[in-house]
Amino acid sequence: MKKVIQLIILFALFFSLPIQGFASVSGAVTSNLGKSNAAVTIRDIDSGKIVYSQNGNKLMRPASNMKLISGGAALSILGEDYRFTTDLFIDGKVVNKTLNGNVYIKGSGDPTLNKEDFQEFAKILKRNGIRTINGHLIGDDTAFSGSTLPPGVDKTDETYYFGARTSAITMSQNADFDASTIIITAKPGKVGAKPSYSVEPNLSGMVITNQARTVNKGSKNTLTIKRSYNTNRIIISGNIPQGSSKKEWVTLQDPSQNTMQAIKLTWQSAGIKFSKDSKIQLGKVPQKAKLLYTNESRTLASIFPAFMKLSNNSIADILVKAMGKEQLGEGSTKKGVTLLKSYAESLDIPVDNWRIVDGSGLSNSNLVTTNSLSQLLFKVQKEPYFNTFYRSLPIAGNDERFVGGTLRKRLTSANLQNRIYAKTGYIPNVYTLSGYIKGQSGKEYIFSILLHNTANGNAYIDRTMTALVKNL
């Protein structure tokens, strides 16, 4: 009976493409990706019918292809017009430009919050007659709960932007929206001297130890900028040649506390004073507090290109918690990931065997199949948010950063450019690519490739994609 079923499947596959095309696709997949470590599914974009499948029902780690699921869920559950809010409250009375009370910042996880927003808060305080705060600066980050460290982040990743912690009070430094980071730029001095460095937006409660030195121009640049594991201490070490520089995004140890520190320092630069007994604390906004201002982020739809094209892990993890908070009343990763399965089920995608532990795909514990992932890409075409979803995907060979994204330096030959809209993925020993492809015939297809345990996997995937464009 099993052999009969296999024959039926092969028969169906054989006649869903021209015989020559099927043979070429099969040959391209097996010659470039092999059979045991790769799962591949190709679907007709109009009917959703599978035209090719190898290990399509095999559970595989998706890496950042997980963002196709979390991204679709966020657009469905939160909506394209969703905005994160950050509220500014005060209590007490203002006498002679002095607030005899506390100032509160209540966050909801806005990954776009930045120095300009902090400066706007300062302007609001001044408009309300406040120049000195004779009380505490208190952050309310209770919208999110559970560990700030996302699943899958180990001690070697924790310093880097892709392993950033998530909090309801956090900040980014530019339009990449790498939340919970500061940017440190080091520049050389005289030979033998320590390099100088600058920090955006400011030190934010971090401490920097500069152990580096300047060397002659033309020497090897060995400078590193890393945060010591589980501390606020950042170490700059190694050699930096004259005529060069080094920029690094370093994660915050405690996003809520560090962001509140950044806010305080920004306010002080704007002329807001604090009494000597004033402290930064975390706690809930009391009911008696007065709301002065609500800062709104840009819409989720406008955040989406940075999220998908740049494969932003911190946005993924924040969206999962935000969905949990909005839909289930608990802003935790545990609650949020249950909604990812529910979302797929709402699209009639079988997910019983899926395993999902995060929204970014950084964890090795995530498991999906190419058949189900490609089915999601088919189903989502009929959703009202599909245009936002589709346009946020990296476009192969387009060298504009916010167009080509993580595919801007891949599949660059003229016959491939703008033919592949797809989400990339990588974690150690895992390479993935899933999305939409237009063949040389002009016909479009949906594809999903998950490749494990193959060194330099992107090269093999790109060779496969080149062959698919030629033969589809």
Side-chain angles (χ1 to χ4, degrees):
M1 184 65 182
K2 185 176 180 181
K3 289 185 177 180
V4 172
I5 294 172
Q6 289 175 336
L7 285 171
I8 292 172
I9 292 172
L10 284 173
F11 182 84
L13 290 173
F14 215 80
F15 286 97
S16 60
L17 279 174
I19 292 175
Q20 184 178 358
F22 174 77
S24 299
V25 168
S26 179
V29 170
T30 55
S31 64
N32 288 303
L33 303 178
K35 293 184 177 181
S36 60
N37 291 329
V40 181
T41 301
I42 302 173
R43 290 181 184 267
D44 184 284
I45 198 169
D46 297 314
S47 68
K49 184 178 180 180
I50 294 176
V51 299
Y52 178 83
S53 180
Q54 173 184 289
N55 298 323
N57 285 319
K58 182 178 180 179
L59 287 169
M60 304 280 281
R61 289 166 286 173
S64 281
N65 277 199
M66 179 60 69
K67 294 182 178 73
L68 295 169
I69 304 168
S70 59
L75 289 172
S76 176
I77 294 169
L78 299 175
E80 294 176 275
D81 295 328
Y82 179 81
R83 295 176 187 266
F84 294 91
T85 59
T86 306
D87 296 325
L88 174 68
F89 292 86
I90 61 171
D91 62 14
K93 294 184 179 181
V94 179
V95 180
N96 296 327
K97 298 183 179 181
T98 297
L99 172 64
N100 293 308
N102 301 319
V103 179
Y104 302 85
I105 299 290
K106 184 176 182 178
S108 66
D110 184 0
T112 73
L113 199 69
N114 59 31
K115 187 176 181 178
E116 291 182 1
D117 298 318
F118 304 162
Q119 291 170 336
E120 184 63 24
F121 291 151
K123 291 179 182 178
I124 298 298
L125 291 173
K126 289 180 178 179
R127 286 175 197 163
N128 282 270
I130 299 170
R131 295 293 189 277
T132 300
I133 297 170
N134 187 21
H136 303 304
L137 179 57
I138 300 174
D140 184 343
D141 63 356
T142 55
F144 289 174
S145 58
S147 175
T148 59
L149 194 67
V153 179
D154 60 27
K155 64 187 301 183
T156 60
D157 294 336
E158 196 198 28
T159 183
Y160 300 109
Y161 68 94
F162 59 82
R165 293 174 179 266
T166 55
S167 168
I169 299 177
T170 188
M171 62 180 178
S172 298
Q173 311 318 321
N174 58 25
D176 288 7
F177 305 139
D178 291 310
S180 301
T181 64
I182 56 175
I183 300 175
I184 300 175
T185 303
K187 294 183 178 180
K190 294 181 179 179
V191 173
K194 292 181 179 181
S196 62
Y197 61 85
S198 59
V199 185
E200 281 295 327
N202 49 52
L203 270 175
S204 309
M206 308 295 282
V207 177
I208 294 180
T209 301
N210 188 357
Q211 301 173 347
R213 71 187 185 100
T214 304
V215 294
N216 289 317
K217 186 175 182 179
S219 300
K220 187 176 181 180
N221 190 337
T222 62
L223 193 85
T224 63
I225 306 172
K226 293 183 178 181
R227 179 169 61 82
S228 295
Y229 175 66
N230 208 31
T231 73
N232 278 331
R233 185 184 177 215
I234 298 170
I235 299 176
I236 304 175
S237 61
N239 298 332
I240 183 168
Q242 288 188 322
S244 64
S245 63
K246 176 80 171 185
K247 178 184 284 189
E248 193 70 75
W249 280 250
V250 180
T251 58
L252 302 173
Q253 164 63 16
D254 186 334
S256 296
Q257 286 276 5
N258 293 129
T259 302
M260 295 301 294
Q261 290 278 3
I263 290 171
K264 183 176 182 178
L265 289 170
T266 302
W267 289 2
Q268 287 175 322
S269 296
I272 301 291
K273 298 179 180 179
F274 290 82
S275 66
K276 64 178 181 178
D277 296 323
S278 179
K279 297 178 181 178
I280 289 176
Q281 299 176 345
L282 297 180
K284 294 193 72 171
V285 176
Q287 290 186 347
K288 65 179 181 178
K290 177 184 177 182
L291 177 65
L292 293 186
Y293 174 67
T294 295
N295 181 81
E296 291 188 340
S297 74
R298 60 187 68 192
T299 65
L300 179 57
S302 64
I303 294 171
F304 232 68
F307 168 44
M308 295 286 269
K309 288 184 182 292
L310 305 184
S311 201
N312 189 304
N313 287 348
S314 59
I315 292 178
D317 294 319
I318 285 170
L319 288 175
V320 165
K321 289 188 173 184
M323 284 186 278
K325 179 65 175 178
E326 293 290 337
Q327 195 82 351
L328 302 175
E330 182 181 307
S332 67
T333 299
K334 184 177 180 180
K335 287 291 186 181
V337 295
T338 66
L339 296 172
L340 304 188
K341 273 194 173 184
S342 298
Y343 165 70
E345 288 171 343
S346 74
L347 298 178
D348 296 322
I349 298 169
V351 296
D352 289 345
N353 60 346
W354 281 13
R355 184 178 181 187
I356 300 178
V357 300
D358 67 20
S360 68
L362 189 59
S363 173
N364 275 302
S365 297
N366 294 303
L367 293 171
V368 301
T369 67
T370 56
N371 278 358
S372 57
L373 202 53
S374 61
Q375 189 175 3
L376 183 146
L377 290 170
F378 170 70
K379 293 281 190 176
V380 78
Q381 293 178 103
K382 297 180 181 179
E383 298 301 311
Y385 50 81
F386 176 67
N387 188 53
T388 295
F389 180 90
Y390 180 75
R391 290 170 65 86
S392 74
L393 295 173
I395 303 174
N398 193 311
D399 61 5
E400 291 187 35
R401 192 162 178 268
F402 272 88
V403 179
T406 52
L407 279 178
R408 66 189 180 278
K409 296 181 180 179
R410 294 172 60 182
L411 303 160
T412 56
S413 60
N415 63 314
L416 299 175
Q417 288 178 346
N418 302 315
R419 286 185 174 273
I420 300 165
Y421 286 60
K423 184 69 200 73
T424 58
Y426 168 76
I427 54 176
N429 299 314
V430 177
Y431 298 84
T432 63
L433 189 69
S434 299
Y436 306 88
I437 180 173
K438 180 184 285 188
Q440 202 67 45
S441 66
K443 172 70 176 171
E444 293 182 76
Y445 296 87
I446 294 165
F447 73 93
S448 179
I449 300 174
L450 307 180
L451 179 63
H452 291 184
N453 304 320
T454 301
N456 195 25
N458 282 342
Y460 293 103
I461 290 177
D462 289 357
R463 289 176 201 165
T464 304
M465 296 306 298
T466 301
L468 291 183
V469 168
K470 179 180 178 181
N471 292 295
L472 287 174

